[in-house]
Amino acid sequence: MDPSLDIVFAALADPTRRRILSMLLEDDMAVTDVAEPFEMSLAAISKHLAILAGAGLISQEKRGRVKWCALEPDALREASIWMQGFGQFEPVNLDAFERFLRNEGLTPEEG
Amino acid sequence: MDPSLDIVFAALADPTRRRILSMLLEDDMAVTDVAEPFEMSLAAISKHLAILAGAGLISQEKRGRVKWCALEPDALREASIWMQGFGQFEPVNLDAFERFLRNEGLTPEEG
DNA sequence: CGCATATTCAACTATCAGGTTGAACATGCC
DNA sequence: GGCATGTTCAACCTGATAGTTGAATATGCG
Protein backbone atom coordinates (compact mmCIF):
# COMPACT_ATOMS: atom_id res chain seq x y z
CA MET A 1 0.00 0.00 0.00
CA ASP A 2 1.15 3.47 -0.83
CA PRO A 3 2.31 5.01 2.45
CA SER A 4 1.57 8.51 1.23
CA LEU A 5 -2.11 7.63 1.24
CA ASP A 6 -1.76 6.83 4.93
CA ILE A 7 -0.47 10.31 5.56
CA VAL A 8 -2.98 12.14 3.40
CA PHE A 9 -5.99 10.32 4.81
CA ALA A 10 -4.70 10.69 8.37
CA ALA A 11 -4.27 14.41 7.80
CA LEU A 12 -7.84 14.64 6.51
CA ALA A 13 -9.24 12.67 9.45
CA ASP A 14 -8.94 15.59 11.87
CA PRO A 15 -11.76 18.16 11.87
CA THR A 16 -9.45 20.99 12.86
CA ARG A 17 -7.28 20.26 9.85
CA ARG A 18 -10.23 20.00 7.47
CA ARG A 19 -11.47 23.32 8.79
CA ILE A 20 -8.04 24.81 8.18
CA LEU A 21 -8.15 23.52 4.62
CA SER A 22 -11.54 25.11 4.14
CA MET A 23 -10.16 28.42 5.38
CA LEU A 24 -7.23 28.18 3.01
CA LEU A 25 -9.57 27.41 0.16
CA GLU A 26 -10.77 30.98 0.46
CA ASP A 27 -7.37 32.62 0.70
CA ASP A 28 -3.75 32.18 1.74
CA MET A 29 -3.21 32.93 5.41
CA ALA A 30 -0.50 33.52 7.98
CA VAL A 31 -0.14 31.00 10.81
CA THR A 32 -1.44 33.46 13.41
CA ASP A 33 -4.49 34.23 11.32
CA VAL A 34 -5.21 30.55 10.78
CA ALA A 35 -5.11 30.06 14.54
CA GLU A 36 -7.35 33.00 15.38
CA PRO A 37 -10.80 31.34 15.15
CA PHE A 38 -9.71 28.22 17.01
CA GLU A 39 -9.90 27.80 20.75
CA MET A 40 -6.53 26.19 21.06
CA SER A 41 -2.98 27.34 21.34
CA LEU A 42 -0.95 28.72 18.48
CA ALA A 43 1.54 25.91 18.96
CA ALA A 44 -1.20 23.34 18.40
CA ILE A 45 -2.24 25.03 15.16
CA SER A 46 1.39 25.21 14.12
CA LYS A 47 1.58 21.44 14.56
CA HIS A 48 -1.57 20.88 12.55
CA LEU A 49 -0.15 23.01 9.77
CA ALA A 50 3.05 20.98 9.82
CA ILE A 51 1.02 17.81 9.44
CA LEU A 52 -0.92 19.28 6.52
CA ALA A 53 2.36 20.38 4.92
CA GLY A 54 3.86 16.94 5.52
CA ALA A 55 0.94 15.44 3.64
CA GLY A 56 1.49 17.91 0.83
CA LEU A 57 -1.96 19.37 1.34
CA ILE A 58 -0.61 22.86 1.95
CA SER A 59 2.59 24.74 1.23
CA GLN A 60 4.25 27.12 3.63
CA GLU A 61 6.45 30.01 2.60
CA LYS A 62 8.14 32.36 4.99
CA ARG A 63 8.20 36.00 3.98
CA GLY A 64 9.75 38.14 6.66
CA ARG A 65 8.42 37.16 10.05
CA VAL A 66 5.28 35.72 8.54
CA LYS A 67 4.82 32.16 7.31
CA TRP A 68 2.15 32.07 4.65
CA CYS A 69 0.08 28.94 4.17
CA ALA A 70 -1.49 28.03 0.84
CA LEU A 71 -3.70 25.15 -0.21
CA GLU A 72 -2.09 22.55 -2.48
CA PRO A 73 -5.09 20.73 -3.91
CA ASP A 74 -3.02 18.50 -6.16
CA ALA A 75 -2.05 16.43 -3.16
CA LEU A 76 -5.60 15.23 -2.98
CA ARG A 77 -5.43 13.85 -6.48
CA GLU A 78 -3.74 10.57 -5.63
CA ALA A 79 -6.13 9.88 -2.80
CA SER A 80 -9.04 10.84 -4.99
CA ILE A 81 -7.83 8.52 -7.74
CA TRP A 82 -7.53 5.69 -5.22
CA MET A 83 -11.13 6.23 -4.24
CA GLN A 84 -12.27 6.47 -7.83
CA GLY A 85 -10.77 3.03 -8.28
CA PHE A 86 -13.76 1.72 -6.45
CA GLY A 87 -15.67 3.17 -9.31
CA GLN A 88 -19.07 2.20 -8.11
CA PHE A 89 -20.38 5.66 -7.53
CA GLU A 90 -21.04 8.48 -9.89
CA PRO A 91 -18.93 11.62 -10.01
CA VAL A 92 -20.07 14.85 -8.46
CA ASN A 93 -23.48 16.08 -9.37
CA LEU A 94 -22.22 19.27 -10.94
CA ASP A 95 -25.63 20.81 -11.44
CA ALA A 96 -26.43 20.41 -7.78
CA PHE A 97 -23.01 21.70 -6.88
CA GLU A 98 -23.43 24.85 -8.92
CA ARG A 99 -26.81 25.43 -7.35
CA PHE A 100 -25.13 25.06 -4.00
CA LEU A 101 -22.51 27.64 -4.94
CA ARG A 102 -25.17 30.11 -5.99
CA ASN A 103 -27.16 29.60 -2.82
CA GLU A 104 -24.09 30.13 -0.72
CA GLY A 105 -23.12 33.23 -2.65
CA LEU A 106 -19.69 31.78 -3.11
CA THR A 107 -19.21 31.58 -6.83
CA PRO A 108 -15.57 31.42 -7.83
CA GLU A 109 -15.56 34.94 -9.24
CA GLU A 110 -16.27 36.45 -5.87
CA GLY A 111 -13.03 35.17 -4.37
CA MET B 1 -25.66 5.72 8.34
CA ASP B 2 -24.16 9.17 8.17
CA PRO B 3 -20.76 8.64 9.73
CA SER B 4 -18.72 11.79 9.83
CA LEU B 5 -15.83 12.40 7.54
CA ASP B 6 -13.56 12.07 10.57
CA ILE B 7 -14.43 8.41 10.87
CA VAL B 8 -14.32 7.67 7.15
CA PHE B 9 -10.94 9.29 6.60
CA ALA B 10 -9.52 7.71 9.75
CA ALA B 11 -10.70 4.32 8.51
CA LEU B 12 -9.03 4.93 5.15
CA ALA B 13 -5.76 6.03 6.75
CA ASP B 14 -4.71 2.49 7.59
CA PRO B 15 -3.08 0.40 4.83
CA THR B 16 -4.48 -2.87 6.16
CA ARG B 17 -7.97 -1.47 5.95
CA ARG B 18 -7.47 -0.10 2.45
CA ARG B 19 -6.20 -3.49 1.38
CA ILE B 20 -9.28 -5.13 2.90
CA LEU B 21 -11.49 -2.77 0.91
CA SER B 22 -9.65 -3.72 -2.26
CA MET B 23 -10.23 -7.38 -1.51
CA LEU B 24 -13.91 -6.80 -0.93
CA LEU B 25 -14.11 -4.99 -4.25
CA GLU B 26 -13.61 -8.39 -5.85
CA ASP B 27 -16.19 -10.25 -3.83
CA ASP B 28 -17.91 -10.53 -0.48
CA MET B 29 -15.84 -12.44 2.05
CA ALA B 30 -16.04 -14.13 5.42
CA VAL B 31 -13.95 -12.70 8.25
CA THR B 32 -11.59 -15.68 8.30
CA ASP B 33 -10.99 -15.41 4.57
CA VAL B 34 -10.34 -11.69 4.82
CA ALA B 35 -7.72 -12.41 7.48
CA GLU B 36 -5.99 -15.19 5.57
CA PRO B 37 -3.46 -13.16 3.52
CA PHE B 38 -2.49 -10.92 6.43
CA GLU B 39 0.31 -11.67 8.84
CA MET B 40 -1.63 -10.64 11.89
CA SER B 41 -4.12 -12.23 14.21
CA LEU B 42 -7.73 -12.86 13.35
CA ALA B 43 -8.73 -10.65 16.26
CA ALA B 44 -6.81 -7.75 14.76
CA ILE B 45 -8.58 -8.20 11.42
CA SER B 46 -11.89 -8.45 13.24
CA LYS B 47 -11.17 -5.07 14.81
CA HIS B 48 -10.25 -3.56 11.44
CA LEU B 49 -13.49 -4.86 9.99
CA ALA B 50 -15.43 -3.33 12.87
CA ILE B 51 -13.80 0.02 12.16
CA LEU B 52 -14.65 -0.23 8.47
CA ALA B 53 -18.23 -1.13 9.36
CA GLY B 54 -18.39 1.75 11.83
CA ALA B 55 -17.39 4.09 9.03
CA GLY B 56 -20.09 2.65 6.82
CA LEU B 57 -17.50 1.46 4.33
CA ILE B 58 -18.55 -2.17 4.63
CA SER B 59 -21.59 -4.06 5.84
CA GLN B 60 -21.47 -7.26 7.85
CA GLU B 61 -24.15 -9.91 7.86
CA LYS B 62 -24.03 -13.07 9.90
CA ARG B 63 -25.29 -16.20 8.20
CA GLY B 64 -24.84 -19.23 10.37
CA ARG B 65 -21.42 -19.20 11.95
CA VAL B 66 -20.03 -17.05 9.18
CA LYS B 67 -20.04 -13.26 9.12
CA TRP B 68 -20.00 -12.01 5.57
CA CYS B 69 -18.41 -8.67 4.73
CA ALA B 70 -19.47 -6.58 1.73
CA LEU B 71 -18.20 -3.29 0.36
CA GLU B 72 -20.51 -0.32 0.87
CA PRO B 73 -19.22 2.29 -1.54
CA ASP B 74 -21.64 5.04 -0.61
CA ALA B 75 -19.51 6.27 2.30
CA LEU B 76 -16.52 6.37 -0.01
CA ARG B 77 -18.55 8.33 -2.49
CA GLU B 78 -19.29 11.06 0.02
CA ALA B 79 -15.64 11.43 0.98
CA SER B 80 -14.59 11.35 -2.64
CA ILE B 81 -16.96 14.14 -3.50
CA TRP B 82 -15.67 16.13 -0.55
CA MET B 83 -12.17 15.85 -1.93
CA GLN B 84 -13.15 16.75 -5.45
CA GLY B 85 -14.42 20.02 -4.06
CA PHE B 86 -10.81 21.08 -3.62
CA GLY B 87 -9.39 20.27 -7.00
CA GLN B 88 -12.00 21.51 -9.33
CA PHE B 89 -13.36 24.67 -7.85
CA GLU B 90 -11.94 27.85 -6.55
CA PRO B 91 -13.13 29.47 -3.31
CA VAL B 92 -15.71 27.43 -1.47
CA ASN B 93 -16.99 27.56 2.05
CA LEU B 94 -16.38 23.96 3.01
CA ASP B 95 -18.50 24.08 6.13
CA ALA B 96 -21.40 24.88 3.87
CA PHE B 97 -20.04 22.41 1.35
CA GLU B 98 -20.23 19.65 3.91
CA ARG B 99 -23.84 20.57 4.65
CA PHE B 100 -24.49 20.39 0.93
CA LEU B 101 -22.92 16.96 0.74
CA ARG B 102 -24.99 15.76 3.61
CA ASN B 103 -28.15 16.73 1.79
CA GLU B 104 -26.91 15.40 -1.53
CA GLY B 105 -25.79 12.13 -0.04
CA LEU B 106 -29.24 11.43 1.26
CA THR B 107 -30.92 12.01 -2.08
CA PRO B 108 -28.39 10.97 -4.71
CA GLU B 109 -30.98 10.34 -7.41
CA GLU B 110 -32.46 13.81 -7.44
CA GLY B 111 -31.28 16.13 -10.19
C1' DC C 1 19.90 48.75 20.52
C1' DG C 2 15.64 47.34 22.61
C1' DC C 3 11.13 45.87 22.21
C1' DA C 4 7.07 43.82 19.92
C1' DT C 5 5.46 40.34 16.75
C1' DA C 6 5.48 35.68 14.46
C1' DT C 7 6.50 31.11 14.85
C1' DT C 8 8.55 26.98 16.59
C1' DC C 9 10.90 24.01 20.09
C1' DA C 10 11.06 21.14 24.18
C1' DA C 11 9.12 18.79 27.71
C1' DC C 12 5.29 16.93 29.53
C1' DT C 13 0.46 14.74 29.99
C1' DA C 14 -3.59 12.30 28.53
C1' DT C 15 -5.87 9.72 25.29
C1' DC C 16 -6.21 6.74 21.33
C1' DA C 17 -4.87 3.21 17.86
C1' DG C 18 -3.07 -1.11 16.55
C1' DG C 19 -1.31 -5.14 17.93
C1' DT C 20 -0.93 -9.52 21.02
C1' DT C 21 -2.85 -13.65 23.67
C1' DG C 22 -6.07 -16.72 25.78
C1' DA C 23 -10.71 -17.36 26.98
C1' DA C 24 -15.48 -17.13 25.73
C1' DC C 25 -19.44 -17.38 22.84
C1' DA C 26 -22.13 -19.12 18.82
C1' DT C 27 -23.06 -22.32 15.39
C1' DG C 28 -22.78 -26.59 12.52
C1' DC C 29 -21.94 -31.52 12.22
C1' DC C 30 -21.47 -36.55 13.53
C1' DG D 1 -23.86 -34.60 23.66
C1' DG D 2 -19.39 -33.56 22.19
C1' DC D 3 -16.25 -31.49 19.23
C1' DA D 4 -14.52 -28.48 15.48
C1' DT D 5 -15.12 -23.98 13.29
C1' DG D 6 -15.94 -18.92 13.10
C1' DT D 7 -15.80 -14.77 15.50
C1' DT D 8 -15.45 -11.67 19.28
C1' DC D 9 -14.19 -10.28 24.09
C1' DA D 10 -11.11 -8.76 27.73
C1' DA D 11 -6.89 -7.50 29.39
C1' DC D 12 -2.80 -5.83 28.32
C1' DC D 13 1.46 -3.54 25.90
C1' DT D 14 3.45 -0.07 22.96
C1' DG D 15 3.82 3.79 20.23
C1' DA D 16 1.50 7.69 18.12
C1' DT D 17 -1.51 11.91 18.50
C1' DA D 18 -3.33 16.11 20.24
C1' DG D 19 -3.09 19.18 23.44
C1' DT D 20 -0.68 22.22 27.15
C1' DT D 21 2.93 25.72 28.82
C1' DG D 22 7.08 28.33 28.89
C1' DA D 23 11.31 29.27 26.64
C1' DA D 24 13.72 30.08 22.39
C1' DT D 25 14.49 31.88 17.74
C1' DA D 26 13.70 35.11 13.91
C1' DT D 27 12.32 39.27 12.08
C1' DG D 28 10.59 44.18 11.81
C1' DC D 29 10.61 48.74 13.61
C1' DG D 30 11.30 53.19 16.26
Side-chain angles (χ1 to χ4, degrees), chain A residues 33-95:
Chain A
D33 295 328
V34 170
E36 195 272 331
F38 292 93
E39 291 186 348
M40 73 179 67
S41 69
L42 189 58
I45 296 296
S46 179
K47 285 186 188 178
H48 280 303
L49 290 168
I51 289 169
L52 289 170
L57 291 165
I58 66 169
S59 60
Q60 293 185 291
E61 181 197 359
K62 192 166 184 181
R63 289 202 294 271
R65 281 182 299 192
V66 178
K67 199 169 197 175
W68 292 92
C69 306
L71 195 66
E72 289 288 337
D74 282 358
L76 284 169
R77 182 158 300 144
E78 186 180 2
S80 187
I81 288 171
W82 183 88
M83 298 174 88
Q84 302 274 333
F86 286 83
Q88 306 195 352
F89 42 85
E90 297 171 6
V92 189
N93 182 334
L94 291 184
D95 291 340

